[in-house]
Amino acid sequence: MSEEPIKVEALAKKKEKEKIEVTPRSSKYQWYIVVFMGLVGLMDNNLNLMEAVAIVGIRDQYGLSPGEFAFWQGIFGIITFLVFFVAWFSDAFGRKKGVLFLMLLMGIPAFLMPFLAPFSVWIFWILYAIIITGTLSNMWEIPVAEEADPKKRGLLGGIATLISLIPVYAIFGEDIEEAFGWEWTYGIFFFFMLGLMVLWFFMKEPERWSKTHEERGFQKLKIREALKKITKTDAIYIIISTIVYGIWAIAFKFGTSWGETYYVEVNTAFASNWKTILLIGGLLILVGALISGILMDKVSRKATLILGCLGSITGFILMGLWGHPIAFWMLYLFMPVVFTWIMVYFAEVYRTEIRSTATGIAATGARASYVLGPLLAFALFEISPDMVIFWIVPGFLMIIPLLCLLLKPYETKGQTLEDIEIEREKR
């Protein structure tokens, strides 16, 4: 008989014996952390999605074709692999300091954009890459997962994600660009960051992280030690997360980056309605996030992922074959269903000690999408100037996350983080 099941069972019993008991904070504090982290996520996602508004202005200022913009976006996307250090910082120094570091990483280069970017396209790309590096960590979902009531973790995580997806870029982006220039569509978020600093002052360190830090003898978690603590089971979920998140990021980048180019320069029948099309899409993002949060708690994590992927696949294929705004809106409805699943599931399935590091490794692996995605867009612009194949390809890519279900990821619905850790090791 193989000794592997015996070893796994022994490890699970050991973890159950050593299980950290955590007293949930008040409902009032849980809602505070949901709103605060949601607003940090709002800064994150809107800085990431702002190019849906600014990309034409950026191209015009620097004289870049769609293909050239996509090419350099991919090349400078290499910088975003540094996102791992943002995640490790949160495990080593605490969630509160990690959130502060994240806000500064996004806010300072955003403030510098209006003052330095006009001097050189290369300065623009460097500032852009630093901002995007911050927006890719998504570590703001971790405090929500660690503080939330287990029975409401999917819903609370979904609400935080919903807040993060409020489409400031779609509601105010065009007006800001017309009044102050595309540079300030980024720069305005520095002042938003200053407001978040006030909320940050009241944030408490999650008890789970504090107790894990105490068990380490109050030693900072070094990068090498963090990597050594990753188990085979952790590695499986890192692989699943990397694949799902990476494919999602490639596909969603197609929808958010090139919608305006498609409707204004290619499918011009809807050119005069672009601002309305984008606004409706931005509002549907909120609906998708809410649907995802409810489904995860009421049905299952698995069913939520399936729905999001199938809806996204349909939307992309219809964009290529039909091109009507309804297809575009399907992307903005169903892609956030998958995104919310990613934010919630991969913030809860890892052990507390390496939760941020593991999500950081997965995010770093998924960052290949910010190199490969734009380079793929560059190639498809050359192959398909009418953008038919351009839209169909990411639709087929969204089949891949469904294949990850063949690995039978653990269903976490309604369980505490400690129980997830124990039961996950038994499988």
Side-chain angles (χ1 to χ4, degrees):
M1 178 182 292
S2 172
E3 295 183 3
E4 187 64 25
I6 299 175
K7 290 181 179 179
V8 170
E9 185 176 355
L11 178 61
K13 288 181 178 179
K14 179 181 178 182
K15 288 180 178 296
E16 188 165 11
K17 183 177 180 181
E18 297 174 350
K19 184 168 71 173
I20 299 173
E21 296 296 332
V22 175
T23 303
R25 298 195 195 274
S26 67
S27 177
K28 182 178 179 180
Y29 182 81
Q30 288 184 46
W31 279 107
Y32 152 78
I33 206 70
V34 165
V35 172
F36 175 40
M37 291 299 102
L39 290 174
V40 174
L42 184 148
M43 180 180 178
D44 172 326
N45 285 319
N46 277 275
L47 280 170
N48 197 338
L49 297 173
M50 191 56 74
E51 63 193 48
V53 172
I55 194 169
V56 171
I58 295 169
R59 285 174 42 213
D60 288 345
Q61 176 160 334
Y62 300 116
L64 299 172
S65 69
E68 288 171 333
F69 183 94
F71 175 79
W72 287 111
Q73 187 181 42
I75 295 301
F76 277 85
I78 295 171
I79 294 175
T80 64
F81 283 96
L82 296 175
V83 70
F84 168 76
F85 295 98
V86 181
W88 162 78
F89 186 93
S90 177
D91 273 342
F93 296 93
R95 310 308 189 211
K96 185 170 183 176
K97 291 179 181 177
V99 170
L100 176 62
F101 179 54
L102 175 63
M103 291 191 299
L104 292 172
L105 186 64
M106 295 186 292
I108 292 177
F111 179 69
L112 294 175
M113 187 74 81
F115 302 102
L116 299 182
F119 290 105
S120 169
V121 66
W122 308 118
I123 294 177
F124 160 73
W125 281 121
I126 291 171
L127 293 175
Y128 171 85
I130 294 172
I131 291 171
I132 296 301
T133 299
T135 68
L136 299 180
S137 75
N138 296 317
M139 60 82 54
W140 49 269
E141 269 285 0
I142 290 175
V144 177
E146 293 181 339
E147 298 286 14
D149 183 322
K151 295 181 179 180
K152 298 179 180 178
R153 191 167 54 245
L155 178 61
L156 293 179
I159 291 173
T161 304
L162 185 151
I163 293 171
S164 78
L165 293 172
I166 293 174
V168 173
Y169 67 95
I171 299 172
F172 301 112
E174 297 277 359
D175 294 330
I176 294 172
E177 182 180 24
E178 290 176 8
F180 305 106
W182 65 264
E183 299 94 334
W184 279 103
T185 61
Y186 291 94
I188 196 71
F189 282 97
F190 172 77
F191 302 100
F192 186 80
M193 181 196 72
L194 296 180
L196 290 180
M197 293 292 191
V198 177
L199 289 175
W200 176 82
F201 179 80
F202 299 99
M203 182 182 177
K204 301 174 183 177
E205 197 63 64
E207 189 177 355
R208 285 183 171 90
W209 184 87
S210 297
K211 289 190 174 183
T212 300
H213 184 52
E214 182 179 350
E215 288 183 347
R216 288 200 302 262
F218 300 99
Q219 298 294 314
K220 299 293 185 294
L221 183 63
K222 297 179 180 179
I223 292 178
R224 181 177 297 179
E225 293 174 352
L227 295 176
K228 286 182 178 179
K229 291 180 181 293
I230 293 173
T231 66
K232 180 180 178 180
T233 306
D234 292 325
I236 291 172
Y237 285 95
I238 288 173
I239 291 171
I240 295 173
S241 175
T242 300
I243 293 172
V244 175
Y245 195 10
I247 295 298
W248 177 90
I250 289 175
F252 195 56
K253 204 69 173 173
F254 270 68
T256 56
S257 293
W258 302 109
E260 183 176 12
T261 298
Y262 178 66
Y263 284 115
V264 174
E265 300 179 16
V266 180
N267 188 4
T268 55
F270 300 99
S272 60
N273 299 319
W274 164 244
K275 187 173 181 179
T276 302
I277 293 170
L278 180 62
L279 177 59
I280 294 174
L283 295 175
L284 285 173
I285 282 181
L286 305 182
V287 178
L290 184 59
I291 289 173
S292 186
I294 294 173
L295 281 178
M296 279 190 284
D297 277 344
K298 298 300 183 181
V299 185
S300 70
R301 293 351 187 207
K302 178 181 178 180
T304 304
L305 177 62
I306 292 172
L307 174 67
C309 288
L310 292 178
S312 301
I313 292 166
T314 304
F316 275 115
I317 292 176
L318 288 178
M319 275 294 288
L321 300 179
W322 185 28
H324 194 278
I326 290 175
F328 184 77
W329 293 330
M330 288 184 69
L331 301 182
Y332 275 66
L333 175 64
F334 288 105
M335 292 297 283
V337 173
V338 180
F339 177 69
T340 305
W341 180 88
I342 292 169
M343 293 297 97
V344 172
Y345 188 75
F346 293 111
E348 64 186 1
V349 78
Y350 296 117
R351 293 175 294 119
T352 298
E353 185 175 22
I354 52 92
R355 178 169 292 118
S356 187
T357 298
T359 56
I361 293 171
T364 302
R367 284 327 96 208
S369 64
Y370 276 74
V371 177
L372 299 178
L375 293 180
L376 176 62
F378 166 70
L380 290 176
F381 271 121
E382 298 297 317
I383 297 171
S384 176
D386 60 0
M387 298 183 73
V388 174
I389 298 175
F390 182 92
W391 292 115
I392 293 176
V393 168
F396 282 112
L397 287 177
M398 284 301 294
I399 297 173
I400 297 175
L402 290 176
L403 299 179
C404 288
L405 293 175
L406 297 176
L407 295 174
K408 298 180 180 180
Y410 182 65
E411 178 59 52
T412 56
K413 174 189 169 186
Q415 293 186 297
T416 67
L417 297 183
E418 289 72 35
D419 287 337
I420 291 171
E421 181 177 336
I422 293 168
E423 295 300 320
R424 194 198 70 169
E425 295 294 338
K426 291 180 180 180
R427 299 178 79 247

